[in-house]
Amino acid sequence: MQSGIYQSLTTRKAAQQKSFAVLVDPDKVDDARMETLVRMSADARIDYFFVGGSLVISDYLDECVQFIKKHSNIPVVLFPGSPSQISKYADALLYLSLISGRNPELLIGQHVVSAPIVRQSGLEIMPTGYMVIDGGAPTTVSYISNANPLPADKNEIAMCTAMAGEMLGMKLIYMDAGSGARKPISESMIEKVASCIQVPLIVGGGIVTPEKAYLNCRAGADVIVVGNAIEKDPALIREISDAVHQVPVNI
Ligand code: 1GP
């Protein structure tokens, strides 16, 4: 694995610095919206842009990534819903394996088919154990993945899944309640998972307040991802960024 984004994630984790990633769904933006989003994100000193969605219907992905690169220094990490969502203009790729599900296509099948394209992209590849947690109602990701989400109250299953993912070599664990989830992941589940892994822990899905972002970080999340809430109220970018960056270091 090349150094770069992953190095920055592990360095920040070692220093107990929490990170904030704004999720951009290329289907939901245009140049005008991107202009506002990138400007507000740079002002709020966010740490990463994640770009992707469970469905990407438009062909705005390359343009969207190029727009961010042209107008900011914020690293762009692809968060692909399918192997077609690859842009060589990004900095890195979350190479997701859906370890909470039992759908072989999303564990390894699609990876096999797309391996040459992924390698040729030249992107920094970050193997990521992706865990979809029940967010109270079906989300696009739970439907598209054709796999049961992990029950929201089964902290032990989440812990064992993350441990197994790490031992299989995953460099990141991403716990996701799904975009627009009714219920975000509980702090008790985040705490349980964080306590049993060494690799950085990304948490997203249904986070709509700075308070919840803060509490998730206190529970052990290293990176907070927010998409939906920001689409509705871009002022949240600053509020959530401040909350995440104010989490005190434990001595
Ligand atoms: C979804 O984790 C992301 O995959 C972010 O979710 O859009 O609900 O913030 P939201």
Side-chain angles (χ1 to χ4, degrees):
M1 189 188 307
Q2 298 165 12
S3 59
I5 306 296
Y6 189 68
Q7 182 75 46
S8 79
L9 285 163
T10 51
T11 304
R12 291 179 71 83
K13 180 178 174 70
Q16 296 184 37
Q17 271 183 307
K18 306 297 181 177
S19 305
F20 177 40
V22 167
L23 175 64
V24 181
D25 182 338
D27 279 342
K28 295 186 182 163
V29 286
D30 53 25
D31 278 0
R33 284 189 73 104
M34 284 302 293
E35 201 277 318
T36 312
L37 200 61
V38 173
R39 183 173 35 79
M40 293 181 84
S41 297
D43 288 349
R45 297 171 179 267
I46 72 156
D47 302 289
Y48 305 98
F49 273 112
F50 282 9
V51 178
S54 295
L55 281 174
V56 171
I57 299 162
S58 67
D59 58 359
Y60 191 63
L61 177 64
D62 272 342
E63 269 179 75
C64 175
V65 174
Q66 284 177 295
F67 191 98
I68 298 171
K69 299 305 296 178
K70 188 172 169 196
H71 297 281
S72 78
N73 295 319
I74 302 164
V76 179
V77 177
L78 297 177
F79 172 42
S82 73
S84 61
Q85 292 175 31
I86 291 181
S87 170
K88 65 181 178 184
Y89 303 107
D91 297 293
L93 170 76
L94 294 174
Y95 198 49
L96 304 168
S97 180
L98 183 64
I99 59 174
S100 60
R102 298 297 177 268
N103 177 347
E105 276 306 302
L106 299 182
L107 271 166
I108 182 66
Q110 292 192 353
H111 309 69
V112 173
V113 174
S114 61
I117 300 168
V118 172
R119 169 118 340 140
Q120 274 164 28
S121 71
L123 293 164
E124 179 185 345
I125 308 296
M126 303 192 290
T128 304
Y130 188 47
M131 295 169 50
V132 176
I133 316 295
D134 191 350
T139 57
T140 309
V141 66
S142 64
Y143 175 76
I144 295 279
S145 67
N146 196 20
N148 288 331
L150 207 147
D153 58 349
K154 300 291 183 197
N155 294 358
E156 280 73 20
I157 301 179
M159 178 183 77
C160 295
T161 306
M163 280 170 77
E166 183 178 60
M167 290 190 286
L168 279 165
M170 301 297 170
K171 298 297 183 195
L172 298 166
I173 297 291
Y174 189 155
M175 296 169 76
D176 194 352
S179 201
R182 262 185 220 159
K183 290 189 198 154
I185 298 167
S186 70
E187 288 125 53
S188 68
M189 182 179 275
I190 295 168
E191 200 170 342
K192 195 89 180 165
V193 167
S195 69
C196 75
I197 57 169
Q198 308 290 319
V199 297
L201 176 61
I202 305 171
V203 175
I207 299 170
V208 297
T209 64
E211 291 77 18
K212 179 59 177 156
Y214 182 87
L215 291 172
N216 285 356
C217 291
R218 289 302 299 256
D222 296 297
V223 182
I224 297 295
V225 185
V226 181
N228 248 274
I230 285 170
E231 284 161 22
K232 293 183 188 130
D233 178 11
L236 274 174
I237 298 174
R238 166 59 64 86
E239 291 175 32
I240 296 179
S241 185
D242 287 350
V244 166
H245 294 136
Q246 272 162 18
V247 176
V249 171
N250 290 321
I251 302 166

